[in-house]
């Protein structure tokens, strides 16, 4: 009876998720190549205008890293019709909020306004694309802003160098080997003409997707405004992208990284994984969740709760367009060492490679991913971001509705095979992330 109730509950949960979270949208192209996606949600009187550009850190010159992230700041400096320092004033005075973010693969800008200010949001994003002012004053100003961000997030933050330290070891050929924030020396050395050339190459309508989501009470009028503000922008030259291939990792990489900001060493295991667009990447998402996502995960319960060997243990999938990285980390608790943690982690991975997980554990994983799916689309901002991402990086907007079905279809056998294929000792980095020697001696 108990199993029957659990099965019934699972079926009801899945059907409720599917019906409640269906995201309706319309998509089309402008003549200049800009892709447009509209999503009408009248549940709240707000609207988001967002533009995602297919440019990230991986598109940079190796001698000029940090450009993509730099533009995330630079393109708020002003435009031909928006004075320097006026962007944020316009947004806030009209009841809105705005932001931007950059990854290795794309750059994303958005404004959220009361729905009666939709036209304003469209005009502002078209201004960013059509009439940006890129001058030395703006470059100098944002250079200092980015340096302060680097000091805050990386240089002076405990374990702030974790991702950069892993990336340098995991990628030797692909641009994923450098950080999104890039090199301050590269930014200092760059000329104004180089910044202007970067803008001309990547900030073009045929390298962008516009998402308008929220309370679109007049779709024809919305389309009219989109054509008015974005239609006249000239198509840019087609972007030729280089393909970078990493040689397989065939033996364990051992490395050490010293951090001035920590007192407790960290053990890090990292495995290179396939593109986030693949089915294997989604199976590995489940592997990661099973092993180390939260206090109910196998590694946390065993190493932290039961054996008291670590202060913390966790993991995450760092999914990207070309490759991904699975990172497991732990903070040993005295008298246990990093070597002790390594043995326990390896034991659990071998179990996963050898035995099928239980049906109950598989169902719990699927329930967890259902919840993530609901949360990801719980706000108009989340829906807009997902619509843009699925178009730009996955090539299929409707994944916003169907990707959860892929997780539902994953089997116990696939989880075991993925662990056997990707999580082997000869395919990983073991990084000892330790306090700097001078600090450890104090």
């Amino acid at each position: 009876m108990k199993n029957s109730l659990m099965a019934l509950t699972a079926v009801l949960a899945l059907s409720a998720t599917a019906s409640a979270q269906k995201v309706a949208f319309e998509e089309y192209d402008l003549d200049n190549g800009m892709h447009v996606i509209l999503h009408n949600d009248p549940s709240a009187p707000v609207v988001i205008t967002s533009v995602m550009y297919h440019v990230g850190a991986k598109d940079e010159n190796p001698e000029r890293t940090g450009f993509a992230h730099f533009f995330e700041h630079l393109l708020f400096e002003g435009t031909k019709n928006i004075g320097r320092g006026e962007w944020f004033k316009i947004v806030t005075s009209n009841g809105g909020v705005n932001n931007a973010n950059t990854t290795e693969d794309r750059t994303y800008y958005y404004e959220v306004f009361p729905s009666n200010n939709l036209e304003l949001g469209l005009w502002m994003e078209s201004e960013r694309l059509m009439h940006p002012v890129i001058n030395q004053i703006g470059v100098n100003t944002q250079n200092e802003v980015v340096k302060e961000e680097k000091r805050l997030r990386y240089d002076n933050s405990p374990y702030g160098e974790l991702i950069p330290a892993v990336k340098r070891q995991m990628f030797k050929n692909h641009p994923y080997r450098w950080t999104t924030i890039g090199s301050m020396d590269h930014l200092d050395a760059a000329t104004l003409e180089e910044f202007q050339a970067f803008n001309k190459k990547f900030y073009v309508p045929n390298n962008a997707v516009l998402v308008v989501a929220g309370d679109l009470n007049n779709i024809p009028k919305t389309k009219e405004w989109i054509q008015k503000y974005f239609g006249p922008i000239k198509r840019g030259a087609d972007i030729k992208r280089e393909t970078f291939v990493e040689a397989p990792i065939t033996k364990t990489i051992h490395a050490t990284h010293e951090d001035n900001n920590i007192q407790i060493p960290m053990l890090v295991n990292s495995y290179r994984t396939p593109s986030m667009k693949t089915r294997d990447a989604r199976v590995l998402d489940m592997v990661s969740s099973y092993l180390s996502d939260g206090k109910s995960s196998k590694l946390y319960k065993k190493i932290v709760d039961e054996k008291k060997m670590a202060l913390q243990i966790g993991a995450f999938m760092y999914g990207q367009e070309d490759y991904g990285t699975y990172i497991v980390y732990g903070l040993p608790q005295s008298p246990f060492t990093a070597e002790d943690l390594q043995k326990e982690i390896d034991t659990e991975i071998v179990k996963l490679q050898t035995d099928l997980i239980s049906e109950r554990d598989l169902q719990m994983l699927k329930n967890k991913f259902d919840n993530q799916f609901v949360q990801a689309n719980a706000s108009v901002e989340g829906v807009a971001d997902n619509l843009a991402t699925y178009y730009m990086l996955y090539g299929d907007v409707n994944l916003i509705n169907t990707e959860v079905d892929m997780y539902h279809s994953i089997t116990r056998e696939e989880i075991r095979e993925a662990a056997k294929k990707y999580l082997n000792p000869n395919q990983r980095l073991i990084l000892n992330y330790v306090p700097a020697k001078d600090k450890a001696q104090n």
Side-chain angles (χ1 to χ4, degrees):
M1 174 63 95
K2 182 178 179 181
N3 289 337
S4 299
L5 286 174
M6 190 175 83
L8 177 59
T9 300
V11 170
L12 291 175
L14 295 184
S15 62
T17 299
S19 61
Q21 288 297 120
K22 181 75 174 178
V23 176
F25 60 88
E26 176 183 355
E27 56 181 328
Y28 63 97
D29 289 314
L30 299 180
D31 290 341
N32 57 19
M34 173 171 266
H35 196 69
V36 179
I37 304 174
L38 305 179
H39 165 66
N40 185 30
D41 177 3
S43 61
V46 296
V47 65
I48 180 170
T49 56
S50 66
V51 182
M52 182 175 286
Y53 296 89
H54 202 176
V55 56
K58 73 176 182 186
D59 299 295
E60 297 163 346
N61 178 339
E63 300 302 318
R64 290 293 182 267
T65 62
F67 265 46
H69 171 260
F70 194 85
F71 267 77
E72 174 199 321
H73 294 265
L74 187 61
L75 292 187
F76 283 101
E77 273 287 309
T79 74
K80 178 181 176 182
N81 298 303
I82 300 175
R84 185 167 182 268
E86 293 298 312
W87 189 285
F88 298 105
K89 293 179 183 178
I90 293 173
V91 171
T92 56
S93 65
N94 285 277
V97 295
N98 63 272
N99 214 330
N101 53 72
T102 310
T103 70
E104 291 84 354
D105 300 313
R106 93 295 180 275
T107 309
Y108 184 61
Y109 304 84
Y110 67 90
E111 285 78 32
V112 183
F113 281 116
S115 53
N116 59 357
N117 277 326
L118 169 58
E119 185 177 8
L120 175 62
L122 291 169
W123 172 73
M124 293 185 76
E125 282 302 330
S126 71
E127 275 289 301
R128 193 198 306 275
L129 181 54
M130 184 186 288
H131 298 131
V133 173
I134 300 174
N135 57 28
Q136 199 63 52
I137 295 174
V139 168
N140 292 344
T141 300
Q142 296 307 321
N143 198 320
E144 292 305 314
V145 172
V146 170
K147 286 179 179 177
E148 181 58 29
E149 180 180 345
K150 182 177 184 294
R151 285 189 286 267
L152 181 66
R153 292 177 53 194
Y154 295 91
D155 300 343
N156 300 321
S157 176
Y159 308 102
E161 284 286 324
L162 171 60
I163 297 299
V166 168
K167 284 159 65 77
R168 282 192 295 269
Q169 298 296 330
M170 297 299 288
F171 298 100
K172 301 301 182 181
N173 186 49
H174 198 286
Y176 286 163
R177 66 185 182 272
W178 59 75
T179 61
T180 304
I181 205 163
S183 164
M184 299 304 101
D185 289 342
H186 291 175
L187 294 176
D188 287 342
T191 65
L192 178 61
E193 289 73 23
E194 286 177 303
F195 287 110
Q196 292 170 336
F198 190 88
N199 182 80
K200 182 178 180 181
K201 179 178 181 179
F202 292 108
Y203 280 82
V204 291
N206 44 304
N207 194 43
V209 55
L210 166 68
V211 177
V212 186
D215 187 15
L216 311 181
N217 51 50
N218 190 330
I219 300 293
K221 191 64 177 179
T222 299
K223 291 181 177 180
E224 181 183 320
W225 284 333
I226 290 171
Q227 180 60 38
K228 175 182 177 181
Y229 294 114
F230 290 92
I233 303 173
K234 293 183 179 179
R235 182 186 180 93
D238 291 339
I239 297 172
K240 296 179 181 178
R241 301 183 191 274
E242 200 172 343
T243 300
F244 299 92
V245 178
E246 287 288 339
I249 298 172
T250 57
K251 63 179 181 179
T252 303
I253 303 168
H254 292 276
T256 299
H257 180 83
E258 295 185 3
D259 188 333
N260 285 307
N261 302 299
I262 67 170
Q263 295 181 336
I264 301 173
M266 174 185 284
L267 170 69
V268 182
N269 283 196
S270 180
Y271 304 81
R272 192 188 303 146
T273 59
S275 164
M276 63 186 183
K277 295 181 283 188
T278 63
R279 182 174 180 86
D280 274 2
R282 294 171 171 102
V283 177
L284 286 166
D285 280 341
M286 281 199 162
V287 170
S288 173
S289 185
Y290 175 81
L291 283 175
S292 45
D293 181 15
K295 295 184 178 181
S296 63
S297 66
K298 298 300 178 184
L299 288 177
Y300 192 97
K301 284 194 296 185
K302 180 179 181 182
I303 298 175
V304 178
D305 282 350
E306 296 173 10
K307 295 194 172 185
K308 313 295 184 186
M309 296 175 65
L311 297 169
Q312 179 60 272
I313 197 158
F316 54 92
M317 282 291 298
Y318 197 83
Q320 297 165 293
E321 188 176 17
D322 298 340
Y323 290 99
T325 310
Y326 175 46
I327 299 174
V328 185
Y329 62 90
L331 302 177
Q333 179 166 257
S334 181
F336 297 100
T337 65
E339 289 75 16
D340 295 325
L341 293 194
Q342 188 67 65
K343 290 178 183 178
E344 294 295 337
I345 292 170
D346 288 347
T347 297
E348 289 305 312
I349 290 177
V350 169
K351 285 182 182 178
L352 192 59
Q353 293 171 328
T354 307
D355 304 322
L356 294 177
I357 68 172
S358 70
E359 289 284 4
R360 181 177 182 276
D361 283 340
L362 179 63
Q363 188 58 57
M364 288 175 63
L365 284 172
K366 292 181 178 182
N367 292 344
K368 182 176 290 188
F369 279 86
D370 282 342
N371 183 60
Q372 292 177 7
F373 173 70
V374 170
Q375 294 300 319
N377 294 325
S379 67
V380 66
E381 294 96 328
V383 169
D385 191 335
N386 286 331
L387 288 169
T389 299
Y390 283 126
Y391 169 77
M392 185 65 75
L393 303 184
Y394 291 79
D396 181 2
V397 184
N398 199 44
L399 282 172
I400 197 169
N401 294 311
T402 61
E403 187 177 39
V404 71
D405 297 330
M406 296 184 187
Y407 288 101
H408 292 165
S409 69
I410 291 172
T411 65
R412 297 185 297 158
E413 289 78 10
E414 284 182 287
I415 289 173
R416 182 178 62 187
E417 291 309 307
K420 290 167 64 175
K421 183 176 181 180
Y422 295 104
L423 305 186
N424 296 301
N426 65 320
Q427 296 170 296
R428 71 183 173 194
L429 160 71
I430 297 179
L431 175 70
N432 287 312
Y433 194 105
V434 298
K437 290 180 181 178
D438 58 345
K439 181 160 186 170
Q441 292 169 356
N442 290 334

